[in-house]
């Protein structure tokens, strides 16, 4: 049996040091070996890495300017693994993430892989599998939910990998020129997907390779997820059209972009998340971005020159067994202390805190280093389930462990 290929995990971070710390803390519990971690970040991000006890095991590169594509290229240049995986700084990976994401690369034809992304409640999916056309429109891709599947795009169709949960063969990505730094934000990974598709590459979708994406505030969005500006969405959209779509398709695609962004802003206005003056201002930034994209010079990405740095293992001990803790409200202080101690010993810990209610469930990763699922003993976890279902505590615990087992191999206590 051949050894697992070394993997480099690249995190691009800008103005989100707290989120970056959480992302790095969760990576401690990956059950894959060997892998290294590279952080391409501004000064605040590099300071955050230095404050962690993981700093000696993280490669870093200073990228002060805003621009996710350039930051990812800087991380790619430092990568020493055969496979390079990417995760956003506001995302948290399941313990099996790297193992599931890299498994399809055992097939020699696979050049890229992507997984599923859960949203802010930690249970519902934000993105599953999608494909994109040459106008950057996205459509659902029908894939099995329990195993990887292989897909090939074409000249006007690419298999999408989400920027917060994707991996590529290092040599393949370097051969493409890496990410196009002309995309400061939005569509940089879709650009890579389209270039791979036109080269005839195969992309794997690995549904059990999962991350939780928080949509943390940053330079482009506020804490309530409203945009600060639409400039880069406009500019990136035009860049993508000019690179991949036939000229006759541009007017209709831009009209669709304007209509979609206007509708999204009106919905936020109705919800009270923006004011009428914000709508006018944001639409103006979209038009400014479109104008800038039309004026840009389109060239092939410059080559990414690898630095040939030595592989730096992030984890130097074997993975430790998963631990499950559960209880009701009055047990919380003791359970949290227990979870913190086990996590400090290197165990991936999942803590279930149930109330005697029918409240919806949420899943999150604590800065103390363990997963917490909270909600009512009789309430929904998956949002498609019954509104209320009667459980004893042991039965509910078995149900939730079984639900999570494809991505987090849990066994309920006493089983």
């Amino acid at each position: 049996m051949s050894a697992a290929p070394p993997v480099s995990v690249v995190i691009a971070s800008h103005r989100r040091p707290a989120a970056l710390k959480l992302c790095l803390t969760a990576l401690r519990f990956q059950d894959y070996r060997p892998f290294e971690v590279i952080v391409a970040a501004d000064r605040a991000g590099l300071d955050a890495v230095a404050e962690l006890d993981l700093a000696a095991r993280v490669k870093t590169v200073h990228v002060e300017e805003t621009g996710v594509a350039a930051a990812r290229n800087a991380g790619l240049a430092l990568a020493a693994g055969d496979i390079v995986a990417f995760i956003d700084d506001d995302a948290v990976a399941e313990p099996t993430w790297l193992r599931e994401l890299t498994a399809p690369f055992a097939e020699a034809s696979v050049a890229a892989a992507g997984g599923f992304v859960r949203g802010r409640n930690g249970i519902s999916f934000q993105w599953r599998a999608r494909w994109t056309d040459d106008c950057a429109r996205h459509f659902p891709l029908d894939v099995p939910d329990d195993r990887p599947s292989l897909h090939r795009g074409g000249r006007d169709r690419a298999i999408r990998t989400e920027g917060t949960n994707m991996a590529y063969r290092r040599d393949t990505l370097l051969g493409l020129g890496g990410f196009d730094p002309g995309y400061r934000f939005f569509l940089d990974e879709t650009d890579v997907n389209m270039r791979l598709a036109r080269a005839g590459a195969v992309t794997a979708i690995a549904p059990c390779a999962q991350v939780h994406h928080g949509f943390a505030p940053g330079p482009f969005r506020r804490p309530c997820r409203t945009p600060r500006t639409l400039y880069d969405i406009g500019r990136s959209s035009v860049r993508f059209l000019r690179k991949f779509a036939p000229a006759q398709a541009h007017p209709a695609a831009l009209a669709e972009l304007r209509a979609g962004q206007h509708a999204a802003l009106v919905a936020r206005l109705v919800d009270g998340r923006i004011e009428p003056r914000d709508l006018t201002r944001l639409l103006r930034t979209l038009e400014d971005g479109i104008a800038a994209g039309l004026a840009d010079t389109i060239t092939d990405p410059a080559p990414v020159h690898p630095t040939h740095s030595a592989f730096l293992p992030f984890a130097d001990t074997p993975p430790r067994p998963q631990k499950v803790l559960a209880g009701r409200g009055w047990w919380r202080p003791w359970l949290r202390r227990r979870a913190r101690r086990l996590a400090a010993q290197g165990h991936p810990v999942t803590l279930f805190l149930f109330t005697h209610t029918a409240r919806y469930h949420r899943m999150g990763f604590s800065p103390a280093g363990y997963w917490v699922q909270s909600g009512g003993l009789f309430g929904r976890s998956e949002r498609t389930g019954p509104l209320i279902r009667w459980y004893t505590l042991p039965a509910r615990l078995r149900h939730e462990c079984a639900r999570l087992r494809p991505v987090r191999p849990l066994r309920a206590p006493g089983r």
Side-chain angles (χ1 to χ4, degrees), residues 122-292:
I123 293 173
S124 302
F125 283 108
Q126 186 180 102
W127 297 308
R128 291 178 184 252
R130 300 190 288 173
W131 65 273
T132 187
D133 68 8
D134 54 8
C135 290
R137 292 173 297 203
H138 304 307
F139 306 91
L141 179 67
D142 186 24
V143 301
D145 287 339
D146 58 349
R147 63 188 184 279
S149 54
L150 306 186
H151 308 268
R152 196 187 299 271
R155 183 160 185 80
D156 59 356
R157 171 189 172 108
I159 308 305
R160 181 167 170 79
T161 56
E162 308 300 340
T164 192
N165 185 2
M166 61 186 183
Y168 305 93
R169 292 194 191 275
R170 175 176 170 273
D171 291 347
T172 299
L173 190 53
L174 286 171
L176 285 176
F179 297 88
D180 181 351
Y183 298 93
R184 197 170 70 123
F185 167 74
F186 191 61
L187 294 179
D188 66 301
E189 70 271 38
T190 314
D191 180 279
V192 171
N193 298 152
M194 188 59 75
R195 284 185 278 145
L196 281 171
R198 291 189 169 185
V202 172
T203 296
I205 299 298
C208 293
Q210 295 185 11
V211 304
H212 298 241
H213 188 216
F215 270 130
F220 304 102
R221 60 175 172 256
R222 302 182 186 279
C224 59
R225 293 181 59 184
T226 59
R228 299 180 187 274
T229 176
L230 296 176
Y231 177 88
D232 286 286
I233 288 178
R235 187 173 185 176
S236 294
S237 297
V238 171
R239 187 177 190 87
F240 192 93
L241 286 172
R242 291 178 64 196
K243 290 182 71 171
F244 301 113
Q248 61 268 27
H250 294 189
L254 288 176
E256 188 174 338
L257 171 68
R258 291 181 173 108
Q261 292 299 322
H262 183 269
L265 291 175
V266 169
R268 291 184 172 96
L269 181 65
V270 171
D271 288 345
R273 287 183 284 172
I274 62 173
E275 299 179 5
R277 63 185 178 184
D278 295 321
L279 187 148
T280 302
R281 178 186 61 81
L282 287 167
L283 288 176
R284 190 181 305 120
T285 66
L286 179 67
E287 293 301 326
D288 290 344
I290 290 172

Side-chain angles (χ1 to χ4, degrees), residues 23-380:
C23 178
L24 287 168
T25 299
L27 287 175
R28 291 175 50 211
F29 303 105
Q30 288 297 301
D31 65 3
Y32 185 90
R33 300 292 186 274
F35 73 100
E36 65 176 4
V37 174
I38 303 162
V39 172
D42 58 2
R43 181 51 56 191
L46 298 187
D47 289 344
V49 174
E51 292 168 9
L52 295 173
D53 59 358
L54 306 168
R57 291 178 270 159
V58 177
K59 292 181 180 179
T60 58
V61 56
H62 184 205
V63 182
E64 195 62 38
E65 301 81 11
T66 305
V68 67
R72 285 172 175 161
N73 282 344
L76 173 62
L78 282 177
D82 296 340
I83 297 167
V84 185
F86 295 86
I87 185 171
D88 286 352
D89 58 358
D90 62 345
V92 175
E94 287 284 354
T96 57
W97 171 60
L98 274 182
R99 173 163 55 85
E100 296 288 347
L101 186 62
T102 58
F105 289 97
E107 175 63 48
S109 64
V110 172
F116 285 9
V117 180
R118 293 190 185 267
R120 292 198 296 177
N121 65 22
I123 293 173
S124 302
F125 283 108
Q126 186 180 102
W127 297 308
R128 291 178 184 252
R130 300 190 288 173
W131 65 273
T132 187
D133 68 8
D134 54 8
C135 290
R137 292 173 297 203
H138 304 307
F139 306 91
L141 179 67
D142 186 24
V143 301
D145 287 339
D146 58 349
R147 63 188 184 279
S149 54
L150 306 186
H151 308 268
R152 196 187 299 271
R155 183 160 185 80
D156 59 356
R157 171 189 172 108
I159 308 305
R160 181 167 170 79
T161 56
E162 308 300 340
T164 192
N165 185 2
M166 61 186 183
Y168 305 93
R169 292 194 191 275
R170 175 176 170 273
D171 291 347
T172 299
L173 190 53
L174 286 171
L176 285 176
F179 297 88
D180 181 351
Y183 298 93
R184 197 170 70 123
F185 167 74
F186 191 61
L187 294 179
D188 66 301
E189 70 271 38
T190 314
D191 180 279
V192 171
N193 298 152
M194 188 59 75
R195 284 185 278 145
L196 281 171
R198 291 189 169 185
V202 172
T203 296
I205 299 298
C208 293
Q210 295 185 11
V211 304
H212 298 241
H213 188 216
F215 270 130
F220 304 102
R221 60 175 172 256
R222 302 182 186 279
C224 59
R225 293 181 59 184
T226 59
R228 299 180 187 274
T229 176
L230 296 176
Y231 177 88
D232 286 286
I233 288 178
R235 187 173 185 176
S236 294
S237 297
V238 171
R239 187 177 190 87
F240 192 93
L241 286 172
R242 291 178 64 196
K243 290 182 71 171
F244 301 113
Q248 61 268 27
H250 294 189
L254 288 176
E256 188 174 338
L257 171 68
R258 291 181 173 108
Q261 292 299 322
H262 183 269
L265 291 175
V266 169
R268 291 184 172 96
L269 181 65
V270 171
D271 288 345
R273 287 183 284 172
I274 62 173
E275 299 179 5
R277 63 185 178 184
D278 295 321
L279 187 148
T280 302
R281 178 186 61 81
L282 287 167
L283 288 176
R284 190 181 305 120
T285 66
L286 179 67
E287 293 301 326
D288 290 344
I290 290 172
L294 291 170
D296 280 344
T297 301
I298 305 294
T299 59
D300 291 333
V304 175
H305 298 292
T307 63
H308 304 292
S309 64
F311 190 86
L312 178 62
F314 184 71
D316 53 9
T317 58
R320 305 206 68 179
Q322 299 263 350
K323 297 291 185 180
V324 175
L325 303 175
R328 295 179 180 168
W330 55 88
W331 298 345
R332 289 188 179 199
W334 180 85
L335 287 168
R336 288 188 181 276
R337 288 194 297 270
R338 175 69 173 155
R340 190 179 299 112
R341 285 195 298 270
L342 288 169
Q345 296 168 9
H347 291 280
V349 178
T350 303
L351 170 59
F352 295 95
L353 295 174
F354 300 119
T355 58
H356 208 71
T357 68
R359 287 182 177 174
Y360 283 17
H361 286 220
R362 298 183 65 87
M363 173 72 76
F365 188 76
S366 166
Y370 54 88
W371 294 92
V372 184
Q373 181 172 326
S374 60
L377 186 61
F378 316 118
R380 281 178 173 172

Side-chain angles (χ1 to χ4, degrees), residues 375-386:
L377 186 61
F378 316 118
R380 281 178 173 172
S381 50
E382 292 179 325
R383 294 332 193 225
T384 56

